[in-house]
Amino acid sequence: MLNKYPLWKNLVIVIALVIGFVYALPNVFPDDFAVQITGARSSTEVDQRILDRAVDALEAKGIEVKESELQERDALIRLNDAESQLRARPIVQEALGRDYLVALNMAPSTPEWLESVGAGPMKLGLDLRGGVHFLLEVDMETAVDQRLEAMSGQIKRELREERVRYRGGDVEGNRSIVLSFRDESSRSEAFDLIRDQYNQFLLDEQTEEGEYLLVLSMSEAEVKSIQDYALEQNLTTIRNRVNELGVAEPLVQRQGADRIIVELPGVQDTAAAKRVLGATANLEFRLEARQDASSADIETFPFRDNPNREARLEREVIVTGDNVSNAQQAFDENGQPQVNITMDSVGGDLMNRATRNAIGRRMAVLFIEYRTETEEVVVDGETRTVDNRVVEKGIISLATIQSALGSSFRITGLDSIPEAAELALLLRAGSLAAPMYFVQERTIGPSLGQKNIDAGMMSVLLGFVLVLCYMVVYYRGFGVIANIALTLNLMLLIACMSILSATLTLPGIAGIVLTVGMAVDANVLIFERIKEELKSGIPPQSAINAGYSRAFVSIFDANITTLLVAVILFAMGSGPVKGFAVTLSIGILTSMFSGLMVSRSIVNLVYGGRQVEKLSIGGKLANV
Amino acid sequence: MSEVEKKPIDFMGFRKIASVVSIALVVAAIALLAVRGLNLGLDFTGGTSVELEYQQAPALDNVRQTLESAGYEQFVVQNFGSDTTVLVRMAESENDQLAAEVTAALSAGGNQLELVSSEFVGSQVGDELKEDSGLGMLIALAVVLIYVGMRFQFKFGIASVVPLAHDVIIVLGVFALFQWTFDLSVLAALLAVIGYSLNDTIVVADRIRENFRKMREGGSEHIINESIHQTISRTINTSGTTLVVLFALYFLGGEAINNFALALIIGVVVGTYSSIYVSANLLVALGVAREDLIVPPKEGLAGQEEEEEQPPEWLNRM
């Protein structure tokens, strides 16, 4: 009963604290303003030549480059201030052309030896530091057209199943579908069928040159609801994607009728964010056309890796990426990247029905990408940037169907691991109901005034100091020990959050200090227990031991229960609730460690292994 | 050890009054939520975003002050792209007049500025946040009920879940009463209140369990009273340190964390109260007895626990 820790236990604590210190340290270094260059496609690499070209272009315009560096997949140019950062972006973009994405960024200035062990600072949130503001516009015309296409396919399929003979049925201008029939009876049959099942169309019967026409025009209400749906769906998808990026505390909101604002806090890979946000990629699965198919049912697409090779595919789409319920990047037998896909039940059914009757034929996976390309044109002697919207469709794989496919299968034929991972992310996070284009990218200042930030920081600091004072006044020597443990707890908490590269907002910082206020609890429980034991006449050394071990049960039960709540909130919650649950969980774990282990080890160092007459633990019992 | 101490305060003597107070508060809170509702913040409601172009870079704090004195309540002012462009987001719904009014109010001080655009902006949080969080909260409560039921006893499970609901409802009720802005930071505070209150409740419950096993005399009310008495100085110290932090945040933290701190102050006070007068009170009402916690050995699930729970062996070696 000498209250001594064995050497190894002290070592474990010291090592944990040293690791904590190293990972918390980067938060001391401020970030640099920078522009970041990445390939527009995940397979495009950025090399030294590209970087030199960018730096030369900047220097030619008189912008001072603080430092330029080549990273694994991108390049960073550090600049002196926010103003030159804003000026630099268009210059670099112009110099490099459209194969590269140039984004505003905040680059951490963590020293190399820290970076080499993977340590980096926490980001400051939109309220404290501001960030990047993207404005995306949803292409509503395409949204409506896509829906019309899908409906025309459905209607045609149903007419065929009901054995009603028709011609045409394609989408015409004016948001309408025109069907033509040989006689009046089949037209009225079709009329009834469509009226019953597709009430979103206004039906109009016309007769023209011996043909009986049925014109389906989409109602205004339906157009509006498609547009609303497209926007809401895109908003949800973007939220999912932003959260997949691991960015905490983003802002995603609707603006006006057809736009979406995305704001991401300062320090991060904005280029990757932009690529994933803007990547309106989707997949389509189509059968290869039969030799004898009529040309109206055929579309020809190039292969993505070899534009000179082409394949003829059926116009009808079996299923799209919208029906994907899960997608994971994996490797095939030859170590090539692949994406494992799981369809939802509807998608699985469609896939099974289509492939069951097509064994031996080939199926293509079509990759569709919508992008904005920025071009500079000279109009009346003035240079203006014009955004061109580009749709790129390419086949990524064309494989023979060996057996009927079900709800899970895999896609091969992807260029690289990053590409496979990105495709999996995009499919997982949900596809966009309609393509979107970037219309604006700007930096945005902090949403809180400097006064508010200063006041917030000051109050947080004061709160912390007050807790420390309270503990010393009340528990004397043991209070000092608790304070050391608390400070170390704070350091560990910051270290863990830095490792997760969490984003700090002002309420978040307040929450951390609050965790400290609550972490006092473990120590208070222990110290009160020790006092109780002393009161009942047990000698100091035994009282310390009994205090720690008795209080353990309370601390354990209370913390585990709270941890359970945090874990459930993490699993169930979304966005900000999730982030908070993470902070809470880490706070519980570090405060248990520091409250039980660290404070005990200090107590042992101070009192352990010798004769102790009294403990400095405050109250009138201090001199028992 | 209780013999040598002075007679503890009769906490449970007030239990009837406390029950009435708690029920009245919860009912009032629910009524307030139903009638007045929460004053949801910009994060939840969305509103209007107005972009303004100044000729000379303005001081944003002045812009904020001008807007405040013009009677606007919820707004965010940020630099946008450059230091002469200012973005104002406000909770008022979009109309043509609003943008013109804002422009007029801001140019009153002699500033040269121009309205660039004004548009409706949607809420910052999706509907799924409300649904998911609500569902998550219910599941969390159910899991606490089951876990505490297993580790302690079923009556303790109920006695730890009811206070949580009690605390959350009362904090929400106060926010509805005063129409304080309920935004994301207040939501975070609410989650912290749950953590705090649960922690507090379990610590008291733990002592009650221990005393039921240790003390051979006295009825349950006496034992519960004694347990509260033994933990009261810990309760006061922990709440005290937490409140010290919170008051610092409230009085000095500025408007950005005012409501956050306010929600927590109410939550901590109510949470401390509820771990005594809701949780322990419920235990008395549910008739928790020694037999509930001391199960004859070799029988039943709860019988796995020893009479007095011992800390794990590895801790004793520390």
Side-chain angles (χ1 to χ4, degrees):
Chain A
M1 192 68 66
L2 287 169
N3 283 327
K4 264 197 105 60
Y5 261 178
L7 180 66
W8 69 268
K9 208 170 263 178
N10 281 324
L11 272 180
V12 167
I13 293 170
V14 169
I15 289 170
L17 292 176
V18 168
I19 293 175
F21 179 74
V22 167
Y23 282 90
L25 195 58
N27 293 296
V28 180
F29 302 95
D31 302 317
D32 282 335
F33 295 93
V35 290
Q36 184 190 22
I37 306 165
T38 43
R41 271 200 195 169
S42 45
S43 49
T44 314
E45 276 186 33
V46 181
D47 56 19
Q48 188 63 45
R49 252 188 27 247
I50 297 295
L51 183 58
D52 289 343
R53 222 158 81 201
V55 172
D56 290 345
L58 285 177
E59 275 164 358
K61 299 262 179 175
I63 295 175
E64 198 182 327
V65 174
K66 191 172 167 189
E67 200 188 321
S68 67
E69 60 190 302
L70 206 57
Q71 293 169 340
E72 203 173 315
R73 290 168 36 74
D74 54 12
L76 261 185
I77 301 175
R78 292 167 191 266
L79 302 156
N80 285 329
D81 48 48
E83 197 199 343
S84 45
Q85 183 194 27
L86 284 174
R87 279 177 55 210
R89 198 185 71 89
I91 297 172
V92 176
Q93 183 75 70
E94 189 189 352
L96 298 184
R98 69 179 67 156
D99 287 340
Y100 297 90
L101 283 178
V102 181
L104 301 172
N105 204 339
M106 299 299 299
S109 60
T110 314
E112 223 160 277
W113 65 274
L114 277 176
E115 244 176 30
S116 64
V117 293
M122 284 186 278
K123 297 155 197 153
L124 291 181
L126 289 166
D127 56 345
L128 299 174
R129 167 59 69 68
V132 205
H133 171 109
F134 298 113
L135 186 61
L136 296 122
E137 192 172 280
V138 182
D139 184 349
M140 289 301 182
E141 279 309 307
T142 311
V144 175
D145 285 350
Q146 277 176 348
R147 187 89 188 95
L148 265 176
E149 284 289 351
M151 285 180 132
S152 122
Q154 264 177 33
I155 289 171
K156 285 197 278 188
R157 197 175 317 136
E158 271 186 47
L159 288 175
R160 276 201 301 272
E161 276 169 17
E162 296 292 320
R163 305 199 175 282
V164 181
R165 303 195 56 166
Y166 69 93
R167 280 194 294 133
D170 291 332
V171 179
E172 314 256 318
N174 252 344
R175 290 172 182 157
S176 59
I177 299 171
V178 181
L179 290 158
S180 87
F181 301 90
R182 267 199 215 155
D183 47 42
E184 205 165 343
S185 70
S186 32
R187 181 172 70 180
S188 68
E189 218 175 307
F191 185 96
D192 291 343
L193 188 87
I194 294 168
R195 191 190 49 198
D196 287 351
Q197 296 193 14
Y198 298 92
N199 56 8
Q200 54 271 71
F201 286 107
L202 305 169
L203 300 178
D204 184 22
E205 290 176 313
Q206 292 170 5
T207 315
E208 202 174 272
E209 294 165 18
E211 278 192 293
Y212 296 90
L213 299 180
L214 185 59
V215 180
L216 288 68
S217 0
M218 192 171 264
S219 65
E220 276 307 308
E222 179 65 13
V223 170
K224 177 119 195 356
S225 96
I226 290 173
Q227 292 180 340
D228 274 348
Y229 171 79
L231 195 78
E232 286 304 319
Q233 173 70 30
N234 280 9
L235 210 54
T236 310
T237 305
I238 289 284
R239 282 205 180 105
N240 289 342
R241 285 187 184 174
V242 171
N243 288 333
E244 278 256 352
L245 281 173
V247 180
E249 312 287 347
L251 179 143
V252 179
Q253 72 188 158
R254 176 181 181 159
Q255 176 177 325
D258 57 357
R259 290 175 168 195
I260 292 174
I261 299 172
V262 179
E263 282 177 16
L264 304 172
V267 193
Q268 65 199 336
D269 190 347
T270 38
K274 204 174 164 186
R275 201 167 56 224
V276 171
L277 280 180
T280 37
N282 204 343
L283 291 181
E284 279 179 12
F285 297 88
R286 301 191 190 200
L287 287 175
E288 191 183 25
R290 289 180 201 275
Q291 289 300 332
D292 55 349
S294 78
S295 60
D297 294 336
I298 291 179
E299 271 183 289
T300 308
F301 293 105
F303 278 77
R304 201 147 170 268
D305 51 355
N306 179 6
N308 298 323
R309 205 177 138 210
E310 287 187 335
R312 296 159 71 235
L313 304 182
E314 283 190 356
R315 198 173 275 272
E316 196 175 318
V317 178
I318 302 172
V319 59
T320 67
D322 300 3
N323 292 100
V324 169
S325 67
N326 195 11
Q328 295 292 334
Q329 189 254 316
F331 296 97
D332 67 5
E333 307 80 46
N334 304 322
Q336 292 300 308
Q338 68 174 32
V339 177
N340 291 337
I341 288 185
T342 314
M343 288 278 177
D344 58 14
S345 62
V346 179
D349 276 358
L350 288 170
M351 193 54 122
N352 186 275
R353 214 182 304 164
T355 50
R356 206 167 42 202
N357 302 321
I359 293 172
R361 288 179 65 187
R362 294 204 287 178
M363 186 174 74
V365 181
L366 196 60
F367 188 88
I368 305 164
E369 202 177 5
Y370 301 86
R371 292 208 306 271
T372 314
E373 284 181 351
T374 314
E375 207 178 2
E376 302 228 328
V377 281
V378 182
V379 184
D380 304 333
E382 263 182 78
T383 26
R384 283 193 195 162
T385 53
V386 177
D387 291 334
N388 294 320
R389 296 172 179 193
V390 189
V391 186
E392 225 178 52
K393 296 187 177 191
I395 296 169
I396 52 175
S397 80
L398 185 64
T400 310
I401 300 168
Q402 307 286 1
S403 60
L405 294 173
S407 56
S408 48
F409 52 89
R410 59 187 195 171
I411 296 174
T412 51
L414 295 153
D415 281 345
S416 61
I417 299 166
E419 192 179 60
E422 214 168 276
L423 177 64
L425 188 156
L426 291 176
L427 289 174
R428 201 165 52 227
S431 65
L432 299 167
M436 284 198 299
Y437 302 96
F438 282 92
V439 288
Q440 206 176 53
E441 177 194 348
R442 291 208 203 165
T443 54
I444 187 147
S447 62
L448 289 177
Q450 195 57 44
K451 266 191 211 158
N452 265 325
I453 296 176
D454 293 345
M457 290 297 185
M458 217 267 283
S459 69
V460 162
L461 207 65
L462 186 72
F464 186 65
V465 171
L466 282 176
V467 170
L468 298 187
C469 293
Y470 191 112
M471 290 301 281
V472 174
V473 169
Y474 202 85
Y475 290 115
R476 308 295 161 87
F478 272 79
V480 174
I481 293 173
N483 287 346
I484 298 172
L486 281 178
T487 313
L488 293 173
N489 176 40
L490 185 65
M491 186 187 82
L492 285 177
L493 185 61
I494 290 173
C496 289
M497 295 193 47
S498 305
I499 291 172
L500 293 176
S501 59
T503 304
L504 271 186
T505 58
L506 193 50
I509 295 174
I512 290 177
V513 170
L514 187 69
T515 324
V516 173
M518 283 157 64
V520 171
D521 190 47
N523 287 308
V524 170
L525 268 169
I526 294 163
F527 297 165
E528 288 298 321
R529 247 307 165 26
I530 294 178
K531 277 190 181 181
E532 258 179 56
E533 302 293 332
L534 286 174
K535 227 185 272 182
S536 59
I538 293 175
Q541 292 289 7
S542 319
I544 292 176
N545 196 55
Y548 270 91
S549 63
R550 290 264 170 80
F552 174 82
V553 181
S554 297
I555 297 171
F556 181 81
D557 273 333
N559 281 298
I560 293 301
T561 322
T562 314
L563 192 62
L564 268 178
V565 172
V567 168
I568 291 162
L569 286 175
F570 178 77
M572 294 298 302
S574 58
V577 174
K578 236 182 176 125
F580 182 79
V582 172
T583 318
L584 187 60
S585 313
I586 298 173
I588 291 168
L589 294 176
T590 57
S591 73
M592 274 177 83
F593 175 76
S594 64
L596 289 168
M597 305 271 290
V598 178
S599 83
R600 181 71 191 271
S601 116
I602 303 172
V603 168
N604 283 356
L605 280 179
V606 175
Y607 288 108
R610 61 185 173 93
Q611 205 60 40
V612 179
E613 293 299 317
K614 58 181 183 181
L615 301 177
S616 168
I617 197 165
K620 55 182 183 299
L621 286 155
N623 302 320
V624 164
Chain B
M1 50 199 237
S2 57
E3 292 86 351
V4 297
E5 281 171 30
K6 60 177 192 260
K7 200 174 174 296
I9 308 161
D10 187 12
F11 290 101
M12 285 296 108
F14 305 105
R15 59 176 283 257
K16 298 236 164 64
I17 307 167
S19 311
V20 174
V21 171
S22 281
I23 293 171
L25 281 176
V26 169
V27 170
I30 292 174
L32 278 167
L33 283 170
V35 177
R36 301 189 70 156
L38 288 170
N39 177 17
L40 292 176
L42 200 52
D43 306 345
F44 288 97
T45 59
T48 311
S49 106
V50 181
E51 191 183 333
L52 301 160
E53 179 74 47
Y54 280 73
Q55 266 183 5
Q56 272 168 358
L60 291 190
D61 279 328
N62 293 344
V63 176
R64 290 188 184 102
Q65 252 165 26
T66 316
L67 284 175
E68 207 165 303
S69 51
Y72 296 103
E73 271 180 359
Q74 282 189 51
F75 55 82
V76 172
V77 179
Q78 285 165 284
N79 269 123
F80 189 52
S82 68
D83 54 357
T84 52
T85 316
V86 172
L87 190 72
V88 183
R89 277 185 245 234
M90 37 209 338
E92 275 82 4
S93 57
E94 208 261 324
N95 59 50
D96 296 339
Q97 268 187 337
L98 179 71
E101 278 168 25
V102 170
T103 319
L106 288 176
S107 40
N111 282 311
Q112 294 290 316
L113 67 135
E114 213 174 288
L115 177 67
V116 180
S117 70
S118 97
E119 249 179 310
F120 145 80
V121 286
S123 68
Q124 187 185 329
V125 291
D127 292 333
E128 74 268 13
L129 181 86
K130 291 175 206 158
E131 289 156 22
D132 292 354
S133 311
L135 188 62
M137 211 87 101
L138 285 180
I139 294 179
L141 289 183
V143 169
V144 168
L145 184 70
I146 294 166
Y147 177 77
V148 176
M150 270 165 38
R151 250 202 71 78
F152 289 71
Q153 203 265 338
F154 186 66
K155 287 169 187 167
F156 280 88
I158 294 178
S160 53
V161 167
V162 174
L164 292 188
H166 170 269
D167 301 344
V168 170
I169 291 172
I170 290 180
V171 175
L172 285 175
V174 175
F175 267 75
L177 174 64
F178 294 105
Q179 290 291 298
W180 289 327
T181 312
F182 187 92
D183 57 15
L184 281 177
S185 70
V186 179
L187 180 70
L190 212 55
L191 299 178
V193 166
I194 293 177
Y196 184 86
S197 166
L198 188 58
N199 197 58
D200 213 34
T201 303
I202 299 288
V203 167
V204 175
D206 192 76
R207 186 55 79 99
I208 293 175
R209 173 175 67 177
E210 188 187 323
N211 281 339
F212 262 114
R213 289 171 175 164
K214 204 161 62 185
M215 294 165 68
R216 295 293 170 193
E217 286 156 35
S220 4
E221 212 172 311
H222 169 73
I223 292 176
I224 290 174
N225 214 34
E226 183 66 31
S227 309
I228 295 171
H229 176 77
Q230 284 170 7
T231 48
I232 196 72
S233 70
R234 169 263 155 201
T235 306
I236 289 173
N237 276 340
T238 302
S239 302
T241 48
T242 312
L243 283 173
V244 159
V245 176
L246 289 172
F247 279 116
L249 292 178
Y250 179 71
F251 286 112
L252 305 166
E255 56 199 288
I257 39 181
N258 252 339
N259 284 350
F260 173 85
L262 208 50
L264 269 160
I265 290 172
I266 301 165
V268 167
V269 172
V270 176
T272 309
Y273 158 86
S274 77
S275 59
I276 296 173
Y277 280 109
V278 179
S279 179
N281 197 348
L282 262 174
L283 282 175
V284 176
L286 290 169
V288 78
R290 198 169 278 123
E291 299 78 60
D292 287 330
L293 293 160
I294 302 171
V295 181
K298 295 177 200 167
E299 203 184 281
L301 279 169
Q304 288 165 358
E305 287 171 8
E306 290 174 44
E307 206 177 296
E308 183 182 351
E309 180 139 359
Q310 289 298 323
E313 208 257 330
W314 58 266
L315 190 91
N316 282 334
R317 278 189 280 119
M318 295 208 306

